[in-house]
Amino acid sequence: GENVEQHPSTLSVQEGDSAVIKCTYSDSASNYFPWYKQELGKGPQLIIDIRSNVGEKKDQRIAVTLNKTAKHFSLHITETQPEDSAVYFCAENTGNQFYFGTGTSLTVIP
Amino acid sequence: NAGVTQTPKFRILKIGQSMTLQCTQDMNHNYMYWYRQDPGMGLKLIYYSVGAGITDKGEVPNGYNVSRSTTEDFPLRLELAAPSQTSVYFCASHFGSEQFFGPGTRLTVL
């Protein structure tokens, strides 16, 4: 559960465009994959999550996809807005512990 | 509910000093966590607890201690502060799948 890789580390998009952030993990026992948004000076906040028995989940402009065979999952944000600018973290849950990616700093240019 | 609260917000320590970072949650969650976040990195788990009286080490426990005498409180203790412990510390509680994070404590050791 310790190895979660996240790409890219920084991402700039024009307002209205889509943003995609990808994560890979190594522990096949992982069964829960949350995504967090962290605004400056604040703690991370859960924005969407997916369980291992589901391939895709959508919540308005945000979607997450999971490929358990390839051990990767992705966050998709459509119609980006300036308030989407933040640092995004993926994580995977194994047992009682959560392991986090290194974060993606997303900037939405008005 | 106040959620997860942390004190202090900021602290500067000298090498060798000790301090306790406080964390309290009012949601009656059994699971609580302490993470540290270094610049450009994800969150690393220091210690966690699955209930009052039970604690366990995470990825980076060296130099820290915790206790969990009540469901609400989960303090983190630094006995001999070192520059390597300069970081932002987040406490979190966990219910179901979702982790709820506190606002963080920014600690500098000089």
Side-chain angles (χ1 to χ4, degrees):
Chain A
E2 296 183 20
N3 196 13
V4 180
E5 294 189 5
Q6 182 173 347
H7 300 281
S9 57
T10 59
L11 180 60
S12 291
V13 299
Q14 290 291 135
E15 183 178 356
D17 286 351
S18 296
V20 180
I21 303 170
K22 298 182 178 182
C23 286
T24 60
Y25 64 98
S26 57
D27 190 345
S28 56
S30 301
N31 55 17
Y32 174 65
F33 306 89
W35 284 91
Y36 295 87
K37 178 182 181 181
Q38 186 177 26
E39 296 176 334
L40 198 62
K42 297 185 179 180
Q45 187 170 16
L46 179 72
I47 55 171
I48 197 167
D49 55 16
I50 193 166
R51 295 199 171 275
S52 59
N53 58 346
V54 175
E56 184 174 359
K57 183 177 178 180
K58 192 172 181 181
D59 182 3
Q60 298 182 345
R61 296 186 298 108
I62 296 173
V64 57
T65 58
L66 171 65
N67 184 328
K68 278 220 79 176
T69 303
K71 295 195 182 72
H72 64 72
F73 56 113
S74 301
L75 177 71
H76 304 253
I77 306 174
T78 58
E79 300 171 30
T80 53
Q81 301 167 4
E83 51 265 38
D84 293 330
S85 296
V87 178
Y88 291 82
F89 291 96
C90 63
E92 57 101 349
N93 174 223
T94 305
N96 294 322
Q97 300 195 31
F98 289 78
Y99 298 91
F100 287 78
T102 50
T104 296
S105 178
L106 173 65
T107 302
V108 179
I109 304 165
Chain B
N1 288 348
V4 181
T5 57
Q6 292 182 239
T7 57
K9 283 186 167 46
F10 304 95
R11 183 73 186 267
I12 297 175
L13 283 181
K14 293 182 179 178
I15 295 171
Q17 285 186 319
S18 61
M19 77 164 293
T20 299
L21 283 68
Q22 301 291 347
C23 175
T24 299
Q25 54 95 6
D26 62 358
M27 299 173 281
N28 203 33
H29 292 168
N30 283 326
Y31 287 69
M32 295 188 74
Y33 302 80
W34 273 106
Y35 295 92
R36 60 177 287 170
Q37 184 178 35
D38 299 319
M41 302 295 290
L43 287 81
K44 296 290 186 182
L45 182 64
I46 305 171
Y47 270 95
Y48 67 99
S49 168
V50 301
I54 306 169
T55 62
D56 210 344
K57 295 178 180 178
E59 291 180 82
V60 290
N62 291 344
Y64 307 94
N65 276 302
V66 293
S67 59
R68 185 89 183 275
S69 56
T70 66
T71 299
E72 294 77 20
D73 299 310
F74 189 39
L76 178 71
R77 179 84 178 161
L78 283 71
E79 289 294 350
L80 290 170
S84 60
Q85 293 178 305
T86 294
S87 190
V88 180
Y89 292 83
F90 289 100
C91 178
S93 71
H94 178 201
F95 176 75
S97 302
E98 184 170 356
Q99 282 195 96
F100 298 84
F101 285 85
T105 294
R106 183 174 294 276
L107 175 67
T108 302
V109 182
L110 300 174

